[in-house]
């Protein structure tokens, strides 16, 4: 157990250093990479590897963030496709699914937290807009359960004239 902790610490440090190197290479060579692609010239392997490593790492961070930035994610995916680099779709699906699960579980506990509901709604919109299929069974099941309990409460309050309930209802239904 102690050996695993030490190994994880070493690996974390090593991977962090490697990511910094790939980031630097990508940041300085990206214009040349795009130019080569525009000319129809395949990327040399070191460029392709740097772009693949950097774009996947940046996408992993972006889809793991509870406040998903749709434009950033779409931009990174677009850049990867433009450069012809392979995305870690399995890993990205998993991380985005976990982000959505965290969001729906937090909402289940704090049902009247409108900013949280808006963040969750935005995350669901991002998940629908990205170009890879996901298994959202757990998230959908949780939403369905909330639909049976939370939705009637929101609707009841909205009918009584509660403006915040109207807004919550609209956000909830947008999920």
């Amino acid at each position: 157990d102690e050996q695993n902790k030490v190994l994880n610490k070493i690996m974390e440090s090593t991977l962090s250093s490697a990511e910094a190197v790939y980031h630097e290479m990508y940041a300085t060579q990206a214009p040349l990479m795009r130019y080569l692609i525009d000319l129809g010239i395949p990327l040399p392997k070191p460029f392709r590897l740097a772009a693949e490593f950097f774009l996947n790492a940046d996408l992993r961070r972006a889809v793991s963030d509870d406040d998903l930035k749709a434009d950033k994610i779409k931009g990174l995916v677009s850049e990867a496709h433009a450069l012809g680099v392979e995305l870690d779709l399995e890993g990205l699906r998993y991380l985005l699914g976990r982000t959505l699960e965290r969001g729906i579980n937090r909402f289940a506990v704090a049902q009247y937290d409108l900013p949280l509901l808006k963040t969750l709604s935005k995350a669901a919109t991002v998940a629908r807009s990205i170009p890879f299929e996901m298994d959202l069974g757990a998230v959908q099941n949780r939403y369905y359960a909330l639909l049976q309990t939370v939705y009637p409460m929101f609707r009841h309050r909205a009918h009584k004239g509660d403006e915040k309930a109207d807004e919550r209802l609209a956000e909830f239904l947008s999920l």
Side-chain angles (χ1 to χ4, degrees):
D1 191 41
E2 191 63 32
Q3 192 175 23
N4 281 340
K5 285 181 184 178
V6 171
L7 181 59
N8 285 339
K9 196 109 173 130
I10 292 169
M11 288 300 297
E12 186 178 307
S13 173
T14 301
L15 289 174
S16 180
S17 295
E19 186 175 336
V21 169
Y22 281 122
H23 178 268
E24 177 67 24
M25 182 177 190
Y26 177 79
T28 59
Q29 302 304 323
L32 177 57
M33 291 180 200
R34 289 185 203 102
Y35 183 67
L36 290 172
I37 293 298
D38 287 346
L39 293 175
I41 300 170
L43 290 181
K45 191 172 185 172
F47 284 0
R48 189 174 34 77
L49 291 174
E52 186 174 311
F53 191 94
F54 170 75
L55 292 170
N56 274 298
D58 224 21
L59 270 167
R60 278 191 296 277
R61 274 190 297 278
V63 301
S64 296
D65 187 351
D66 288 333
D67 187 19
L68 296 173
K69 307 278 189 280
D71 291 340
K72 178 175 178 129
I73 293 169
K74 287 179 187 176
L76 290 166
V77 169
S78 177
E79 178 79 357
H81 286 300
L83 295 176
V85 300
E86 190 174 320
L87 293 176
D88 174 21
L89 295 179
E90 188 174 323
L92 294 170
R93 284 183 194 113
Y94 173 79
L95 291 171
L96 183 55
R98 297 290 299 158
T99 300
L100 291 170
E101 285 178 35
R102 281 193 315 273
I104 196 82
N105 289 335
R106 278 196 325 272
F107 175 69
V109 173
Q111 300 159 356
Y112 291 98
D113 186 339
L114 187 56
L116 175 60
L117 182 55
K118 286 182 176 189
T119 299
L120 181 58
S121 180
K122 187 171 78 171
T125 300
V126 170
R128 284 189 294 268
S129 72
I130 55 176
F132 43 88
E133 294 295 318
M134 297 182 50
D135 175 15
L136 295 176
V139 174
Q140 289 169 333
N141 290 340
R142 185 67 165 190
Y143 177 78
Y144 182 76
L146 290 168
L147 187 62
Q148 304 305 306
T149 57
V150 173
Y151 174 74
M153 289 188 310
F154 288 171
R155 191 178 62 212
H156 177 71
R157 287 179 179 226
H159 285 311
K160 286 190 164 201
D162 182 342
E163 290 178 23
K164 288 285 187 187
D166 266 342
E167 195 174 353
R168 282 187 200 99
L169 188 59
E171 286 294 331
F172 185 73
L173 290 175
S174 76
L175 289 171

